[in-house]
Amino acid sequence: MKSKLTWILTPLLALMMSFSFAQEKTITGTVTDESGLPLPGVSVLVVGTTKGSQTDFDGNYAIVASQGQQLRFSYVGQKTAEKLIGSSAVVNIQMLEDAQALEEVVVVAYGSQTKEKIVQNVAIVGEAALENLVVTSPDQLLQGQAAGVNVTNTSGLLGANVNIQVRGVNTINGGSSPLFVVDGVVITDNDNTFSRGGNVGSNPLTFLNPSDIQSLTVLKDAGATAIYGTRGANGVVLITTKKGRLNSDATVTVNNYIQASKVNDLFEGLTPDEYRQFRTDIANIQDGTSLVPQDLGLGAIGDPGTDFVDEISRTGFTQHVDVAVRGGSDKTTYFISGSYEDAESFAIGNDLTRSAVRMNLETQAKKWLKVGTNIGITNTLLNSIGRENSTFAPFTSAFLLDPTFIPRDADGNFVRSPSFIPNIAAVAALDTDRTEATRTIGSIYGEITLAPGLKFRSEFGADRLVSETSLRSTEIVSAGGSSDFFTVTDNLYRVTNSLSYTNTFADKHNFNALVLQEYEERQRRFTQIDGVGFLSDNQLNVGAATTQTVLDSDRAGSAIRGFLGRFSYDYDSKYLLEVTGRVDESSRLGIDNNTGKFYSVAAGWTVSNEDFFKLDFVDFLTLRGSIGTAGNDRLGNFPSLALYEAGQFGGLSTANVISPANTTLGFEQTRTIDFGIRSSYFNNRLNLNVSYYKRNTTDLLFEVPLPNQSGAATVNLNAGELENSGWEFELSSTNFKTDNFQWNTSLNLATLDNKLVDIVSNEVDADGRKFIETGAQRAIEGESLSTFFLVRYNGINPDTGDAEWLDVDGNVTTAPNFDTDRVEVGSALPDLTGGLTNTFRYKNFDFSSVFNFSVGNKVLIEGLRFVDGIDAIGGTINVRRENLDFWRNPGDVSFAPSPASATANNFNQESTAQLLDGDYLRLKNITLGYSLPAQALERVGFLSKVRFYATATNLWTIKGDDLDGIDPENNDSNDPLSLGQSFFTAPQAVTYLLGLNLQF
């Protein structure tokens, strides 16, 4: 029996071994395009299995498979190909271009369109641009990447907002930021930081993992934004997250990086000994005495002191990991991801922990029914610190504190500061400012095919934020201690129902029509409890306070109902036409004028598709233009109503008037004319887009001051007009392309001319122009909205040591009137912005660099009023090192005046001494990567991609000499009337990142 069994099993085992050896055969080969050039990054899969590989830079691949199996080759822009494995271990393939695939599909408002047929002006940051760009916040993906989109960071701290302007500033008192739309869901951008985020609030995009983003589309002209009606006047940013792919095996991607950050561009203050000597020298010159530092209570030279910037700074460290699974069958696609990030900034007390999950599913449930969902849930835990313009803001007080002050006693315990500035080291180490928020943004939709080309779609979307903030200040910082607690629920709900029709007649007449009904509702509730007086710093909750000083609760909301239609037609892809119309009703506006009507007409002529066009080097050339309108209603939730606030008088409750009612308050309306060309040359190796636009915003939402006897400070009216115009240039090129090396460049430039055409104001200047006073700036008819209006500083007279200024007529004076001698001295809005991106590939190495720049704008560094001055604040605060260079003898060319000069006390008054040129060129992002070749991956078997990369941000900046220690990219307010100003704003961080990307 045993021998019989052996006789049966022996050939069976031999067959199994033979089969096993067949399975282990390594297949290698090269994949090329139609021109014979190697194709890197081609996906190679064994059909029916999970085995996969990818071609290296030379187009080579290696994969384990057996004879009789099929290999599937897929690549963007190429027809998917399959090849049967025979007896040979070498399988080469030449892929063919897929003309349909090469018609790149771009996400636009309420749908998508092939790139060649877009007649609107949109800026696209696509998958190719994002592929190897490693950033920590989605807004960084726009900086320097899109013409006409100016992105300025407001602070280098985690969670800080950014200022994004699309083609200038189009409002005065209304919201000026663009509308953000994530997978079709409009997101709320309310400031829920209760003024603790400085003047700019928090970043509304913090919740989104950049690795989940597929593309960003910025809608700029009326042809693109009119369809958003009352919300489109400031531009629209469409963010599309990654989706699955039909008939694609599951791909698992793991991305992991660590990052270090450090502070950059800081004022350089005096050391303790320099401070002692400086204050003593000043006192001796002013009083004619021979004092020593001990006489001023500053200790002796050589005594210890404190570097408070060092006390509140550190090297920040971040860990990030995200995992995504992507694929699909013949009916269903899926993208599922999860991410976790633990980040700390360069400032002690500023940390961010973010956990996020995302699921994007779509399935063809029936032949006539498609359903899907896109949903992302994010939990963030943000430990904040003061941003600016507060003595509790570390980067304010750290500069100002007397460096001879020791923040701890001999036992290491914190002590109270003797000045009006708190012990900022204690604030950073002991105080708590903690916000935990959960945000859910998602949608669910169904699409029914009613007939060929005719579809009905219904979608429900929501943006839901639940946030809790706890603040606790200890006794050593605030006598008795204080505590604050805030809760916020901020919801946005959106329902749309649409009917679309697409058809082609006679092979040349292409029609597309869309009608849509939309309802959007916003609801926000908050509760605030403040308390002071605690028995112990260990009592953390506001309920333990001896006195509740504030108990407040509020609820507000708004709604928009809209109806829109869009009709598109093209004849043989030559003549393109698109017409859009929308009607909106907004609850925010007056009951007698709350309906807005918006429209756009856009047309294009693809000259390169004409039979008579015979220029072989021109691949594509389209002339296009558009005209239309969009609106803005962002002036709070109840600007048209009579508003009151509760008060008390004589122990009785009162209602105090805030503003009277205005039942005719309507939308701001922006009318844009836009025209340009889009073109491609030399087999798509050179692409050039040029545009010119002019947009006029009328019926500005305006808070007009009222006379004192009216009982209210302001009334909300539609009054005034703004104009923005400019040119935009986009140039991309493939400079070199060989078997081993490729170099691509992308350049974008945008000019801006901003002018306030008309306003309502009782204030008139000497030239008869109406203006609005906004501190250091004036909004003046005929000038840029953000015009600085200051006394001109003339420097130090080397003969007398006096500081000098110019009066209103340009005469030199040592005693200017800091009110009546002010003149126009420049704008906060740049004349030219843009970016330059270069990408290089050499075999398995990749390298990219992103520059952004700004030219022609001014920045007002208001902190210089405090850190520059001979006798600032009675000589109790620190100053910049430049102040050591004060005038001593005739002929001295100095930074500061003589301490004995009568002008010493006015030296730090607000003037052009603090107004600097904001021009800069910054190396924003630089990345070097290396991907393991296919031969190396073949040895592992289950990996299709392994890429190591290193990234640095804000590594290098060219700027003016007077900006030493000052970050030129600063803006501590998103108020259109206060742009370009900062007050001890934390600068951008320099970061260094190491990462690993794996694909299975």
Side-chain angles (χ1 to χ4, degrees):
M1 182 67 183
K2 183 177 179 181
S3 60
K4 187 175 182 179
L5 184 61
T6 301
W7 180 80
I8 295 173
L9 290 177
T10 299
L12 182 61
L13 288 171
L15 179 62
M16 292 177 64
M17 290 176 66
S18 174
F19 180 73
S20 175
F21 288 140
Q23 288 290 92
E24 294 177 352
K25 182 166 65 171
T26 298
I27 307 299
T28 61
T30 303
V31 182
T32 57
D33 61 14
E34 283 185 304
S35 304
L37 291 174
L39 281 174
V42 176
S43 175
V44 185
L45 294 172
V46 180
V47 177
T49 74
T50 59
K51 294 181 179 179
S53 183
Q54 195 174 56
T55 59
D56 61 17
F57 192 85
D58 299 318
N60 299 320
Y61 74 93
I63 195 168
V64 176
S66 64
Q67 184 173 336
Q69 288 185 309
Q70 292 267 7
L71 291 182
R72 178 183 295 156
F73 302 85
S74 57
Y75 189 72
V76 175
Q78 307 290 320
K79 291 182 178 179
T80 298
E82 293 189 358
K83 198 158 186 178
L84 184 69
I85 299 174
S87 58
S88 174
V90 178
V91 176
N92 298 321
I93 190 167
Q94 187 174 42
M95 303 188 76
L96 303 176
E97 287 188 354
D98 186 345
Q100 185 174 2
L102 287 173
E103 293 183 355
E104 182 182 347
V105 176
V106 177
V107 174
V108 294
Y110 301 97
S112 59
Q113 179 63 279
T114 58
K115 190 172 183 179
E116 289 193 354
K117 293 185 178 182
I118 290 179
V119 289
Q120 309 102 329
N121 195 324
V122 300
I124 303 163
V125 185
E127 187 173 10
L130 303 179
E131 181 182 7
N132 294 327
L133 186 60
V134 182
V135 299
T136 55
S137 180
D139 50 82
Q140 297 173 7
L141 297 172
L142 286 173
Q143 195 163 33
Q145 298 283 336
V149 181
N150 187 26
V151 180
T152 305
N153 288 281
T154 59
S155 172
L157 300 179
L158 295 173
N161 204 352
V162 293
N163 182 277
I164 301 178
Q165 298 170 7
V166 178
R167 291 182 159 182
V169 180
N170 302 286
T171 186
I172 290 181
N173 294 130
S176 61
S177 298
L179 183 73
F180 292 98
V181 182
V182 179
D183 292 330
V185 179
V186 173
I187 69 170
T188 180
D189 57 356
N190 289 326
D191 176 13
N192 292 309
T193 62
F194 306 98
S195 300
R196 294 177 304 97
N199 299 316
V200 295
S202 59
N203 191 335
L205 300 179
T206 300
F207 70 92
L208 196 56
N209 176 21
S211 297
D212 287 345
I213 295 176
Q214 178 80 21
S215 66
L216 299 100
T217 304
V218 183
L219 311 183
K220 298 189 288 186
D221 71 337
T225 61
I227 200 166
Y228 280 100
T230 180
R231 299 160 301 175
N234 297 315
V236 182
V237 179
L238 306 179
I239 301 176
T240 305
T241 60
K242 294 175 180 177
K243 307 295 188 291
R245 300 188 179 102
L246 290 172
N247 300 309
S248 176
D249 292 331
T251 300
V252 180
T253 302
V254 179
N255 184 43
N256 186 19
Y257 66 75
I258 57 174
Q259 175 182 273
S261 63
K262 66 176 185 178
V263 69
N264 185 36
D265 269 342
L266 292 176
F267 296 141
E268 188 176 355
L270 303 185
T271 67
D273 280 348
E274 287 174 334
Y275 181 83
R276 292 183 179 104
Q277 193 62 57
F278 175 74
R279 290 300 175 199
T280 304
D281 290 345
I282 297 297
N284 287 330
I285 293 174
Q286 290 179 335
D287 300 333
T289 56
S290 300
L291 302 175
V292 294
Q294 294 94 316
D295 298 326
L296 300 177
L298 300 175
I301 298 295
D303 283 356
T306 307
D307 182 342
F308 282 99
V309 172
D310 187 61
E311 285 281 329
I312 56 98
S313 302
R314 65 186 174 189
T315 298
F317 186 76
T318 296
Q319 300 179 77
H320 173 97
V321 62
D322 60 74
V323 181
V325 182
R326 190 177 192 180
S329 64
D330 59 342
K331 293 183 178 181
T332 302
T333 63
Y334 56 87
F335 175 82
I336 302 172
S337 71
S339 64
Y340 175 80
E341 182 169 291
D342 185 10
E344 59 182 24
S345 80
F346 52 78
I348 293 174
N350 183 213
D351 312 288
L352 175 66
T353 302
R354 179 178 62 196
S355 304
V357 293
R358 169 163 294 280
M359 181 175 67
N360 297 339
L361 297 175
E362 184 175 86
T363 184
Q364 193 74 44
K366 297 288 185 179
K367 186 176 181 180
W368 51 271
L369 175 64
K370 180 187 291 183
V371 295
T373 183
N374 302 300
I375 185 169
I377 303 173
T378 305
N379 178 266
T380 57
L381 179 60
L382 176 64
N383 289 314
S384 299
I385 57 177
R387 300 280 171 83
E388 69 276 319
N389 201 10
S390 166
T391 56
F392 281 76
F395 281 94
T396 299
S397 293
F399 291 122
L400 299 180
L401 269 171
D402 179 344
T404 66
F405 167 56
I406 307 298
R408 296 173 178 82
D409 61 21
D411 297 324
N413 300 312
F414 286 109
V415 298
R416 189 178 300 279
S417 169
S419 75
F420 69 98
I421 304 171
N423 183 340
I424 200 61
V427 172
L430 302 178
D431 281 8
T432 300
D433 185 344
R434 184 177 187 269
T435 299
E436 183 171 7
T438 299
R439 191 165 190 176
T440 303
I441 297 180
S443 64
I444 184 170
Y445 59 89
E447 186 176 271
I448 299 173
T449 301
L450 303 175
L454 182 63
K455 296 178 180 180
F456 172 79
R457 181 184 175 101
S458 185
E459 183 172 357
F460 171 76
D463 177 6
R464 177 173 172 80
L465 171 70
V466 179
S467 174
E468 291 185 354
T469 300
S470 299
L471 288 78
R472 182 70 166 86
S473 186
T474 56
E475 193 278 335
I476 198 69
V477 175
S478 303
S482 65
S483 180
D484 306 87
F485 182 75
F486 306 88
T487 64
V488 177
T489 302
D490 196 355
N491 299 324
L492 183 148
Y493 303 106
R494 176 175 173 268
V495 177
T496 62
N497 294 289
S498 64
L499 195 65
S500 62
Y501 178 69
T502 304
N503 208 341
T504 299
F505 301 95
D507 295 329
K508 292 186 177 182
H509 300 274
N510 303 301
F511 292 90
N512 185 287
L514 171 73
V515 291
L516 183 143
Q517 170 270 328
E518 180 177 39
Y519 177 77
E520 179 184 296
E521 182 175 323
R522 300 172 185 239
Q523 301 173 354
R524 181 178 182 271
R525 299 191 304 272
F526 91 92
T527 301
Q528 176 184 358
I529 305 174
D530 296 356
V532 296
F534 290 83
L535 290 175
S536 168
D537 286 339
N538 294 324
Q539 294 177 308
L540 302 179
N541 296 323
V542 68
T546 57
T547 304
Q548 271 72 47
T549 56
V550 176
L551 182 60
D552 193 13
S553 181
D554 194 8
R555 180 176 181 177
S558 63
I560 294 174
R561 180 171 58 188
F563 301 88
L564 65 91
R566 178 172 62 197
F567 171 78
S568 302
Y569 167 77
D570 77 82
Y571 173 75
D572 199 22
S573 298
K574 297 178 183 178
Y575 313 114
L576 315 170
L577 176 68
E578 183 168 290
V579 179
T580 299
R582 176 160 181 148
V583 178
D584 274 345
E585 290 181 344
S586 171
S587 68
R588 290 175 168 173
L589 303 178
I591 192 171
D592 297 328
N593 194 24
N594 65 353
T595 300
K597 299 176 182 179
F598 311 97
Y599 76 92
S600 72
V601 178
W605 176 27
T606 306
V607 183
S608 54
N609 286 345
E610 295 285 2
D611 294 336
F612 64 78
F613 193 82
K614 302 298 183 182
L615 298 177
D616 294 337
F617 68 91
V618 180
D619 307 312
F620 177 77
L621 175 63
T622 290
L623 308 180
R624 53 153 198 85
S626 67
I627 183 173
T629 59
N632 184 20
D633 69 345
R634 287 185 280 179
L635 189 64
N637 289 313
F638 312 112
S640 67
L641 303 180
L643 301 181
Y644 302 85
E645 63 181 353
Q648 287 188 348
F649 180 78
L652 300 176
S653 296
T654 64
N656 304 322
V657 179
I658 300 175
S659 62
N662 179 6
T663 61
T664 63
L665 187 69
F667 296 96
E668 287 183 348
Q669 183 161 272
T670 297
R671 177 178 177 268
T672 304
I673 299 174
D674 186 292
F675 60 87
I677 64 169
R678 292 175 47 234
S679 55
S680 179
Y681 309 89
F682 309 112
N683 294 321
N684 294 312
R685 293 191 63 159
L686 181 67
N687 296 276
L688 174 65
N689 301 332
V690 180
S691 303
Y692 174 80
Y693 70 90
K694 183 177 182 181
R695 60 197 306 183
N696 289 77
T697 302
T698 57
D699 298 326
L700 294 172
L701 291 170
F702 210 89
E703 294 181 6
V704 178
L706 292 175
N708 293 333
Q709 60 269 27
S710 65
T714 61
V715 62
N716 295 316
L717 299 176
N718 291 109
E721 180 180 353
L722 266 171
E723 180 179 285
N724 292 275
S725 61
W727 289 88
E728 295 171 351
F729 303 88
E730 296 175 315
L731 178 68
S732 62
S733 62
T734 301
N735 305 316
F736 292 98
K737 185 176 182 181
T738 65
D739 290 353
N740 293 325
F741 178 71
Q742 183 169 330
W743 172 22
N744 296 328
T745 297
S746 176
L747 171 69
N748 68 81
L749 301 169
T751 68
L752 175 64
D753 183 13
N754 173 272
K755 182 171 66 175
L756 181 60
V757 178
D758 179 49
I759 56 171
V760 174
S761 176
N762 295 323
E763 300 287 343
V764 180
D765 66 15
D767 296 320
R769 301 174 300 176
K770 290 175 288 185
F771 67 88
I772 302 171
E773 191 75 53
T774 58
Q777 295 183 7
R778 272 189 181 180
I780 309 170
E781 282 185 339
E783 302 294 335
S784 169
L785 177 65
S786 301
T787 296
F788 288 105
F789 198 73
L790 298 167
V791 172
R792 291 165 290 179
Y793 177 64
N794 197 49
I796 306 300
N797 187 315
D799 296 325
T800 65
D802 292 331
E804 295 179 340
W805 296 264
L806 301 180
D807 65 17
V808 68
D809 297 318
N811 301 312
V812 175
T813 177
T814 58
N817 185 311
F818 286 95
D819 183 25
T820 60
D821 284 330
R822 298 162 67 200
V823 298
E824 302 157 37
V825 288
S827 173
L829 297 177
D831 297 323
L832 177 68
T833 58
L836 175 67
T837 300
N838 281 284
T839 59
F840 302 86
R841 291 185 181 273
Y842 176 71
K843 294 188 176 180
N844 293 318
F845 289 92
D846 61 85
F847 175 82
S848 66
S849 64
V850 178
F851 289 85
N852 70 297
F853 54 86
S854 176
V855 178
N857 61 300
K858 297 287 187 177
V859 291
L860 182 65
I861 312 301
E862 293 183 294
L864 295 181
R865 293 179 54 205
F866 292 82
V867 295
D868 286 346
I870 295 301
D871 199 31
I873 318 298
T876 60
I877 63 174
N878 203 357
V879 296
R880 284 200 299 168
R881 183 173 299 278
E882 283 83 344
N883 289 270
L884 294 175
D885 178 23
F886 60 81
W887 189 93
R888 291 172 172 81
N889 301 297
D892 285 351
V893 178
S894 60
F895 173 81
S898 167
S901 170
T903 64
N905 289 334
N906 287 335
F907 173 57
N908 60 344
Q909 290 293 305
E910 189 169 75
S911 70
T912 57
Q914 298 92 37
L915 188 70
L916 310 176
D917 291 332
D919 303 347
Y920 73 90
L921 170 66
R922 169 164 282 170
L923 179 55
K924 191 65 183 179
N925 185 289
I926 184 171
T927 298
L928 174 65
Y930 175 75
S931 299
L932 291 181
Q935 293 87 341
L937 297 178
E938 183 271 332
R939 300 172 187 172
V940 180
F942 57 87
L943 285 171
S944 59
K945 180 180 180 181
V946 175
R947 178 174 178 264
F948 303 92
Y949 59 90
T951 293
T953 60
N954 301 319
L955 194 61
W956 177 63
T957 304
I958 297 178
K959 57 184 180 178
D961 292 339
D962 55 357
L963 284 171
D964 283 346
I966 300 170
D967 189 343
E969 186 186 339
N970 68 78
N971 187 55
D972 66 8
S973 176
N974 283 339
D975 183 346
L977 296 175
S978 301
L979 299 175
Q981 300 177 211
S982 74
F983 188 89
F984 295 108
T985 304
Q988 303 305 301
V990 177
T991 66
Y992 303 92
L993 181 151
L994 293 174
L996 172 65
N997 185 275
L998 305 174
Q999 194 173 97
F1000 301 86

